[in-house]
Amino acid sequence: MTHKCEAIVVHCMDYRLQSHINLWLEKNLTFGSYDRAVMAGGVYDVYDVIRQVDISARLHGISKVILINHEDCGMYGPGGTEEHHEEDLSEAEDKIRRIFPHLEVDTYYLNLDGTFEQKS
């Protein structure tokens, strides 16, 4: 590994949230110290998330995983309640912690107004 970064940030591709996510990243992480995995639904497909975390851990030596799901996610459709997102975030966190016990995992729910709620 010739280069290292602090974290991987997994979030949805929804255009409505990118400015909120960018501001949050600027405030909470050092610029350029993270990988971004942008996927429809955020943690909707936990196995895709795990693949991205594995790549980031192997290639960039991350120490932290940040998972962000959001309100009104089209990938979740009408069943995308905040509770459903919390369950999926918790499941993803549990799986990542089991596979990568050395990684810190933080989970967030992002409201459309730009407010982040930490879930873990």
Side-chain angles (χ1 to χ4, degrees):
M1 176 177 6
T2 59
H3 45 279
K4 186 173 169 79
C5 70
E6 177 182 353
I8 184 170
V9 181
V10 179
H11 62 82
C12 187
M13 62 188 248
D14 192 322
Y15 72 95
R16 298 174 296 170
L17 303 165
Q18 300 312 306
S19 62
H20 299 309
I21 292 169
N22 290 340
L23 288 172
W24 187 91
L25 290 170
E26 286 177 23
K27 181 179 173 186
N28 292 282
L29 294 174
T30 305
F31 181 75
S33 70
Y34 51 86
D35 291 328
R36 286 175 91 159
V38 181
M39 299 183 282
V43 302
Y44 184 83
D45 184 339
V46 70
Y47 298 104
D48 278 346
V49 172
I50 289 168
R51 276 191 287 277
Q52 296 303 308
V53 170
D54 179 55
I55 292 166
S56 188
R58 283 186 294 109
L59 298 182
H60 300 150
I62 59 167
S63 58
K64 186 176 205 174
V65 177
I66 299 170
L67 306 173
I68 304 170
N69 267 24
H70 71 89
E71 177 181 20
D72 192 37
C73 181
M75 189 72 178
Y76 279 80
T81 63
E82 186 171 351
E83 293 78 23
H84 188 171
H85 284 281
E86 286 182 30
E87 290 170 8
D88 283 2
L89 286 164
S90 180
E91 176 190 354
E93 178 182 8
D94 289 345
K95 286 183 185 330
I96 291 167
R97 285 184 189 277
R98 273 188 257 135
I99 297 168
F100 308 96
H102 63 288
L103 296 178
E104 180 182 340
V105 182
D106 291 339
T107 61
Y108 295 89
Y109 183 75
L110 174 55
N111 295 289
L112 291 179
D113 67 3
T115 56
F116 282 75
E117 298 175 29
Q118 189 162 10
K119 297 299 181 181
S120 62

